Amino acid sequence: MKLSFAIPRLFFMLGLLFLSACTKTPEWTLFYYPDVSALPAVPLQAEDIHGYYDTLEQCQSKALGMQRLRQGDYMGAGAYQCGHLCGLDDKSVLVCKRLSQ
């Protein structure tokens, strides 16, 4: 009788394990500045975030696509940077471990 309770519990635990393995946090954050031709000197701002990506290549690809869409615009294509492992520091300032283009 104890075995009949152990099998459903085992399947439940395996299900939770598989579900938790499917939730991966993206490591790259796209900062896109549509109205400038060079990267701004101001610190990173949350309103400049335009998505989260698993790889640097995905982040760059999205940014280049956004620039292509804006190339016909009179303001220019904009500028971007991809931040690796971004978050808020103890002073609530947005920081990234690394920035790349």
Side-chain angles (χ1 to χ4, degrees):
M1 188 143 161
K2 288 184 181 181
L3 185 60
S4 65
F5 290 114
I7 292 174
R9 184 175 289 177
L10 175 65
F11 283 123
F12 177 74
M13 295 303 282
L14 285 173
L16 284 178
L17 179 66
F18 285 123
L19 286 176
S20 66
C22 294
T23 57
K24 180 182 173 194
T25 304
E27 294 186 9
W28 290 91
T29 303
L30 172 60
F31 296 91
Y32 183 68
Y33 314 96
D35 299 326
V36 299
S37 58
L39 292 175
V42 296
L44 300 172
Q45 301 294 317
E47 59 266 11
D48 296 321
I49 294 175
H50 282 75
Y52 304 95
Y53 303 91
D54 292 327
T55 66
L56 174 59
E57 292 77 20
Q58 290 173 340
C59 182
Q60 292 169 327
S61 179
K62 177 63 177 185
L64 293 173
M66 293 175 77
Q67 284 183 322
R68 273 194 299 278
L69 290 173
R70 285 195 54 104
Q71 279 180 345
D73 195 350
Y74 69 93
M75 296 289 289
Y80 76 91
Q81 54 189 345
C82 294
H84 187 240
L85 299 175
C86 300
L88 296 175
D89 68 4
D90 56 348
K91 296 176 184 167
S92 296
V93 175
L94 187 58
V95 295
C96 300
K97 299 274 185 198
R98 184 177 101 186
L99 292 170
S100 182
Q101 274 193 301

